[in-house]
Amino acid sequence: MLHRRKFIRAGALSSLASLLPVASFAIKEKAASSALPIVLSTWDIGVAANKAAWEVLQSGGKALDAVEKGVMVSEAEISCCVGLGGNPDREGIVTLDACIMDDAFNCGGVAALEQIKHPISVARKVMEKTPHVLLVGTGAQQFALSEGFTLEPQKLSDDAQKAYEKWLKKSQYQPKINIENKGNEFDHDTIGMIAMDKHGNLSGSCTTSGLGFKMRGRVGDSPIIGAGLYVDNEVGACTATGQGEDVIRVAGSSAVVEAMRNGLSPEAACKKMIERIVSIKKDKAKSIQVAFIAISKDGQYGAYAIQPGFSFAVTTPQTNLLIKAKSYYP
Ligand code: ASP
């Protein structure tokens, strides 16, 4: 996945953010009056995704529509590891995970979904049209087809094919730090997006091809409500990226929202959960990346990561920034 970040650097930053080095921003926390509406999303790919979400929010649309439209941009980008352009599992097959949650605890997700371009939209259909929260594998695909989604060819992108061939030589999986920003083939590629609309309602989405060269059948945190994403419209919203297993074991996004409920700011809540993961992982924390981003009901936002190098995109009426998050390790 050598090229997927370059298109962002080249063209997507149309505002102030394009003029400023990513590394120079400190996390800002804004008052509600000046921050509504607001959208946050993970990694550099969030810049282009926020742009699409912002069009919905700016025109008075719902946060739910914004977070779906926003991450669809990344899912459709073949040079991006979110969606069908992503790295495959060990068998050479791309499997996708996604979930979505609205302002009334409605939620839906899909896991291990193959050959469907927009898993986030299937997740939304699961939320709206079934009595369930999560559909997986062939059942998820069958449901997608019944809803009018079409099967895409089972073919790796050129970048993914090259990365897979390289991986096959050793066939080992070793998570690496900050790979997203280094173009390494061992990817943690997820876009998580959380937004508040003009009515003050929150929603979130999360979509990924998951860890590159994962075991067949492996599902990460991204499609799991409470782990990769959580929204409580009275409190706030949070989404996660990074080593999914370590997000699941602490019910990460839900725990961040609970910390905000108990009075912590978004950044402090994200930091608290990162510290918990580090204390659980002990020395092993040095070799993993996890990051959370969060918005509170009063319009503040923040983020925190284990390792430096995690960036997130923020768009408000006043700002359009790619911000480098603070991290546990310097
Ligand atoms: N959290 C995702 C997973 O574990 C990976 C990522 O964030 O890139 O599947």
Side-chain angles (χ1 to χ4, degrees), residues 2 6 21 62-63 71 73 81 87 94 97 107 117 121 154 180 191 195 198 208 231 243 250 277 295 297 323:
L2 297 178
K6 289 183 188 158
K62 286 166 62 178
V71 301
V73 171
C81 275
N87 280 330
V94 176
D97 300 336
C107 46
K117 188 172 177 184
S121 301
Q154 202 165 52
E180 284 83 350
I191 184 154
K198 281 185 176 169
T208 189
V231 180
Q243 188 75 30
V250 296
I277 292 170
I295 300 174
K297 184 69 180 175
I323 297 176

Side-chain angles (χ1 to χ4, degrees), residues 98-112:
C99 73
I100 194 160
M101 188 162 187
D102 75 4
D103 53 40
F105 298 99
N106 297 306
C107 46
V110 288

Side-chain angles (χ1 to χ4, degrees), residues 43-83:
W43 301 107
D44 306 22
I45 52 175
V47 175
N50 274 17
K51 211 174 156 200
W54 191 249
E55 281 172 23
V56 177
L57 294 174
Q58 205 174 22
S59 61
K62 286 166 62 178
L64 180 66
D65 294 321
V67 297
E68 181 188 9
K69 290 262 157 36
V71 301
M72 283 174 77
V73 171
S74 316
E75 287 180 338
E77 178 54 61
I78 201 67
S79 60
C80 169
C81 275
V82 173

Side-chain angles (χ1 to χ4, degrees), residues 84-302:
L84 291 173
N87 280 330
D89 65 15
R90 291 176 180 195
E91 314 298 319
I93 298 166
V94 176
T95 66
L96 304 176
D97 300 336
C99 73
I100 194 160
M101 188 162 187
D102 75 4
D103 53 40
F105 298 99
N106 297 306
C107 46
V110 288
L113 179 62
E114 293 174 19
Q115 292 179 263
I116 300 287
K117 188 172 177 184
H118 288 300
I120 197 64
S121 301
V122 185
R124 183 164 176 178
K125 294 279 186 203
V126 171
M127 173 176 95
E128 290 176 342
K129 294 203 161 179
T130 80
H132 307 303
V133 167
L134 188 58
L135 293 181
V136 307
T138 52
Q141 193 189 67
Q142 196 179 323
F143 171 70
L145 296 180
S146 75
E147 287 297 322
F149 292 83
T150 50
L151 280 190
E152 302 293 323
Q154 202 165 52
K155 186 180 175 306
L156 297 184
S157 67
D158 291 348
D159 283 349
Q161 182 66 39
K162 276 186 215 136
Y164 183 52
E165 281 166 16
K166 189 172 169 199
W167 178 81
L168 278 175
K169 288 182 187 148
K170 289 191 182 163
S171 299
Q172 282 174 346
Y173 177 69
Q174 301 271 331
K176 292 193 179 176
I177 296 167
N178 278 332
I179 45 202
E180 284 83 350
N181 290 334
K182 284 183 185 163
N184 190 291
E185 71 271 28
F186 294 97
D187 287 289
H188 297 277
D189 269 295
T190 299
I191 184 154
M193 176 177 279
I194 45 180
M196 186 186 288
D197 60 30
K198 281 185 176 169
H199 313 288
N201 287 323
L202 293 160
S203 288
S205 61
C206 190
T207 181
T208 189
S209 55
L211 298 186
F213 323 115
K214 59 196 172 188
M215 286 178 70
R216 181 105 182 112
R218 181 264 185 192
V219 172
D221 59 314
S222 305
I224 298 178
I225 297 296
L229 175 71
Y230 198 68
V231 180
D232 181 330
N233 203 42
E234 293 200 340
V235 177
C238 174
T239 188
T241 183
Q243 188 75 30
E245 287 74 7
D246 295 312
V247 178
I248 292 171
R249 74 178 94 252
V250 296
S253 292
S254 159
V256 168
V257 170
E258 288 312 301
M260 289 193 286
R261 192 193 307 280
N262 291 331
L264 292 189
S265 71
E267 183 185 311
C270 293
K271 182 169 184 244
K272 183 178 170 161
M273 286 318 297
I274 291 296
E275 286 170 349
R276 185 175 301 169
I277 292 170
V278 170
S279 81
I280 290 167
K281 298 294 287 183
K282 301 192 172 64
D283 266 4
K284 289 185 185 152
K286 288 184 184 140
S287 61
I288 59 161
Q289 175 65 302
V290 172
F292 295 106
I293 61 173
I295 300 174
S296 58
K297 184 69 180 175
D298 63 0
Q300 294 182 66
Y301 64 86

